[in-house]
Amino acid sequence: MCSHIRLLFLRTVGMVCLAILATPGLVWAQQVEVNVEGDYPQLQDNAEAFLGEVEGRSAGSLRRYASTAEAQVEEALRALGYYSPMIQWEVVEQPGDGETPARLVLTVQPGEPIRVRSRQVSIEGPASRDPDFVGTLPEKPAEGDVLNHGQYSTLRQTIQNRASRLGYFDGEFTTRRLEVNPEQRTADISLVFRSGVRYRLGEVSFKEGHGFEEQLLEQFVRFEPGEIYHADKVARLSGDLSNSGYFSGVDIDASPGKAEEGVIPLSVDLTTRPPRSVATGVGFSTDVGPRFSGNWREHWINPLGHRRGAQTELSAPRQNVGAWYELPLDPPMTDSIRLSAGYQREDIEDVESELLTFGQQWKHQLDNGWLQVASIRWEGERFRIGNDDAEQSSLLLPGLGYSKLQADSPLDPSRGYRIQFDVTGSHRAVISDVDILHANVLVKGLYTLADNHRFLSRFQFGGVATNRFSDVPPSLRFFAGGDQTVRGYGYETLSPRNSEDVAIGGRYLMVGSVEYQYEFAENWRVAAFVDEGNAMDDLSDPLATGAGLGIRWISPVGPLRLDVAKGLDPEFGGEWRIHFSMGPEL
């Protein structure tokens, strides 16, 4: 019944719209047409842009408007260097047809263009020796080019913008001349810019009322007083303060008018954000099904900028809860010490596990952009694999990890890469039941060709060395299969199996994937992929292969992925499977 009513409504709306469009006197159409003779698409587009939309005019009104339209077309062509066009116009009427509006048609012969005869661009003063200023100035318009007023304006504006960005605030054009001779069809460009001295950055002061220790705020400043001015340094300070999580507003006053002897003092006004926030979410993936997440966070708890928080994630096969306390280091944008504790319970396939952890992480950003994480954690795990008796393990695991993410956009990058390496270990001499050396490497790459063609690749390798693998808990063994490893197979079903056909986890993990995406509409892509990998006890063991097609929607919160995959190896449990997941691609 509802669908019948909806169909009737749509038909009615369509008939009404057609009736309106067919009613005399209510026909709207562009009434001015311009035709540029020859192959001049830029001139055609520019002329149409200058004319705009003209509607609802009578034939007589169009005749009166013709001189205005002709002047607009002349201006459009002059902007692109054609100063002597021949323009003819006529008003076209349909005899005896009162429904079709009259049209004003302009026919344009562009004529010969103005060409640049000479170009003089000179930078005087200290900026003439500054490669950041004089390097890569626009080459257009060059001698011999058809004059383009837009290119000339871009050249002039680039010099002005560069002076402001690099701190040459006293700079000015001593000569700024564009001379056009329409009779000779020549143009001469002369731009002489005198830069004056380059200003420097002075002391940074923070206005009162922010509630934080001055020592903490000073650690956000990455430049020393007396350094040469660069707008990027001021922007980076603003960005670091904004991204710290402490402030809802950052206002930096770096006005050159307040400079003394070429040194600009910086005054920072900070608005402190509310100290607490709570977030909840509901998600779904075919690996774990529906899941609920909750996050409570205190963004600052004292003037030193300490933070703390708690989070939980609940799904049918996995439940966890954790808490953390973080102390910022110098610089606070990247370096910190985090204390954490957590509990996790899993019941996936043939493995049941309860895991309790306590640990500490030290994050440090290296000068080359790599993030270094040194950690130490204690894990107590009680687990059961298949029908075996329950076991317990106690491990003290120091670790070291390095990672680097390079992407041109945080939400939906078009190119970039991620490299991550982690190694942890334990020894029976230090509060541990078994000797373990555990390593994992992950590499992802993304490249976009011609805007619409995206290529993704992923490779992951992991291994665990131990003197007694049977005592290694499931959390440190390797399993494969599912949304994030090999599609076309069940979640964590790829693994060595015991005599009872129970997946017990492997010593090694090797997974690779290639994917092609084509964007067929804004924020929508189709994908084709091949995954290959397995968790194994011997690197010579065979790998499982999966292939399929999918669709991607770039939602406001990140990419959503729906895949239909076929596992090509039935002996590993390969079959047709639907996979749904969300999250960043790098």
Side-chain angles (χ1 to χ4, degrees):
M1 183 65 179
C2 291
S3 60
H4 174 72
I5 293 173
R6 181 173 179 270
L7 180 59
L8 181 61
F9 172 77
L10 291 174
R11 286 179 177 174
T12 303
V13 171
M15 293 174 65
V16 171
C17 291
L18 289 174
I20 291 174
L21 292 174
T23 302
L26 290 178
V27 178
W28 297 285
Q30 168 69 335
Q31 289 184 264
V32 178
E33 177 183 326
V34 58
N35 297 316
V36 179
E37 295 182 347
D39 185 18
Y40 298 98
Q42 283 187 312
L43 297 183
Q44 180 77 38
D45 293 344
N46 215 41
E48 292 174 351
F50 268 67
L51 284 170
E53 295 290 331
V54 178
E55 301 169 345
R57 291 182 180 243
S58 65
S61 176
L62 286 175
R63 290 186 180 92
R64 292 188 295 272
Y65 176 71
S67 60
T68 301
E70 188 174 346
Q72 290 173 329
V73 171
E74 288 179 348
E75 186 180 357
L77 269 62
R78 190 179 300 115
L80 296 177
Y82 290 81
Y83 272 60
S84 305
M86 295 290 293
I87 303 176
Q88 296 179 334
W89 63 267
E90 64 174 331
V91 174
V92 180
E93 300 180 76
Q94 296 294 332
D97 186 357
E99 296 181 4
T100 303
R103 293 181 298 120
L104 172 62
V105 180
L106 297 99
T107 303
V108 181
Q109 294 178 344
E112 292 296 320
I114 303 293
R115 293 189 178 273
V116 178
R117 180 170 60 183
S118 64
R119 163 179 158 146
Q120 178 194 6
V121 179
S122 177
I123 308 299
E124 298 178 348
S128 64
R129 300 181 296 277
D130 186 346
D132 291 334
F133 196 107
V134 298
T136 64
L137 283 173
E139 297 179 355
K140 298 288 187 177
E143 292 184 4
D145 288 349
V146 174
L147 175 63
N148 185 312
H149 284 263
Q151 293 176 346
Y152 169 73
S153 297
T154 297
L155 172 61
R156 190 183 67 230
Q157 194 63 45
T158 297
I159 295 173
Q160 292 176 321
N161 292 344
R162 200 164 286 186
S164 297
R165 184 166 174 261
L166 297 177
Y168 296 96
F169 295 112
D170 297 332
E172 60 180 352
F173 283 103
T174 57
T175 302
R176 188 177 66 180
R177 185 167 58 245
L178 171 60
E179 295 180 342
V180 177
N181 188 325
E183 295 180 358
Q184 298 181 5
R185 292 193 289 274
T186 61
D188 298 295
I189 296 172
S190 181
L191 293 172
V192 180
F193 185 83
R194 183 176 297 162
S195 69
V197 298
R198 188 172 186 178
Y199 282 47
R200 296 182 175 272
L201 294 163
E203 296 283 349
V204 179
S205 62
F206 296 90
K207 294 183 179 180
E208 296 181 358
H210 47 72
F212 290 90
E213 292 283 349
E214 288 286 331
Q215 181 181 359
L216 172 66
L217 299 179
E218 289 169 358
Q219 292 172 353
F220 284 92
V221 182
R222 302 199 206 186
F223 55 82
E224 297 293 332
E227 285 189 19
I228 56 175
Y229 179 93
H230 198 300
D232 288 355
K233 296 178 181 179
V234 180
R236 184 169 62 177
L237 173 60
S238 178
D240 289 341
L241 290 167
S242 298
N243 296 330
S244 68
Y246 298 139
F247 311 107
S248 59
V250 177
D251 183 16
I252 299 180
D253 182 2
S255 172
K258 298 181 179 179
E260 295 183 4
E261 297 182 356
V263 178
I264 304 174
L266 284 77
S267 176
V268 183
D269 189 7
L270 300 170
T271 303
T272 306
R273 68 172 296 168
R276 300 174 188 85
S277 64
V278 178
T280 59
V282 177
F284 177 85
S285 74
T286 44
D287 282 349
V288 298
R291 64 176 182 265
F292 167 83
S293 62
N295 190 302
W296 171 82
R297 186 182 183 99
E298 271 196 287
H299 304 280
W300 50 272
I301 60 176
N302 57 33
L304 297 175
H306 294 190
R307 306 179 176 96
R308 63 189 172 195
Q311 68 281 330
T312 183
E313 183 175 307
L314 306 175
S315 64
R318 178 189 296 131
Q319 307 87 44
N320 65 60
V321 62
W324 54 269
Y325 189 98
E326 188 173 276
L327 299 82
L329 300 177
D330 185 11
M333 302 81 69
T334 56
D335 292 18
S336 64
I337 290 178
R338 173 174 286 203
L339 310 173
S340 61
Y343 169 80
Q344 177 175 283
R345 183 183 181 278
E346 283 189 338
D347 187 356
I348 299 175
E349 289 296 320
D350 302 314
V351 177
E352 297 178 23
S353 170
E354 289 184 272
L355 177 65
L356 183 65
T357 63
F358 297 94
Q360 174 183 314
Q361 283 186 338
W362 171 51
K363 293 183 180 180
H364 173 57
Q365 186 86 44
L366 303 179
D367 293 337
N368 56 13
W370 285 81
L371 179 65
Q372 174 184 280
V373 179
S375 64
I376 184 168
R377 71 182 188 273
W378 174 84
E379 291 188 355
E381 187 167 359
R382 182 168 56 189
F383 60 93
R384 182 196 304 273
I385 300 178
N387 296 319
D388 293 346
D389 295 335
E391 299 183 51
Q392 292 187 3
S393 71
S394 175
L395 300 173
L396 185 66
L397 294 161
L400 185 63
Y402 292 90
S403 63
K404 188 173 186 178
L405 172 63
Q406 185 73 40
D408 57 4
S409 170
L411 184 64
D412 182 36
S414 62
R415 62 185 61 191
Y417 63 87
R418 176 189 289 274
I419 304 174
Q420 186 172 328
F421 170 77
D422 301 284
V423 60
T424 59
S426 65
H427 196 280
R428 284 175 293 176
V430 188
I431 325 176
S432 299
D433 296 332
V434 61
D435 297 337
I436 293 176
L437 180 63
H438 188 281
N440 192 52
V441 179
L442 174 65
V443 180
K444 290 183 177 182
L446 168 63
Y447 184 77
T448 300
L449 184 65
D451 294 333
N452 293 337
H453 304 274
R454 294 162 59 89
F455 300 89
L456 293 90
S457 61
R458 168 173 51 90
F459 175 75
Q460 185 176 2
F461 177 80
V464 56
T466 179
N467 55 351
R468 197 165 60 245
F469 185 75
S470 59
D471 289 341
V472 176
S475 61
L476 295 177
R477 301 185 187 190
F478 293 102
F479 298 84
D483 304 339
Q484 304 302 317
T485 51
V486 186
R487 287 161 285 190
Y489 300 85
Y491 180 50
E492 295 195 353
T493 58
L494 294 177
S495 160
R497 295 177 176 270
N498 62 14
S499 58
E500 299 176 352
D501 198 34
V502 171
I504 61 174
R507 293 174 178 265
Y508 303 102
L509 173 72
M510 186 182 297
V511 173
S513 175
V514 291
E515 180 170 317
Y516 165 75
Q517 297 179 1
Y518 175 74
E519 185 169 9
F520 63 92
E522 186 176 3
N523 294 329
W524 287 92
R525 304 183 183 115
V526 292
F529 57 85
V530 177
D531 300 339
E532 191 168 47
N534 207 347
M536 62 202 81
D537 286 332
D538 193 307
L539 291 176
S540 62
D541 290 347
L543 303 177
T545 304
L549 301 173
I551 191 166
R552 309 285 182 264
W553 175 47
I554 312 306
S555 75
V557 296
L560 301 180
R561 294 179 287 272
L562 179 64
D563 294 321
V564 178
K566 177 67 167 68
L568 304 181
D569 297 288
E571 65 272 22
F572 291 125
E575 58 183 357
W576 286 104
R577 285 183 174 270
I578 295 177
H579 296 273
F580 178 82
S581 60
M582 62 184 299
E585 292 179 325
L586 287 180

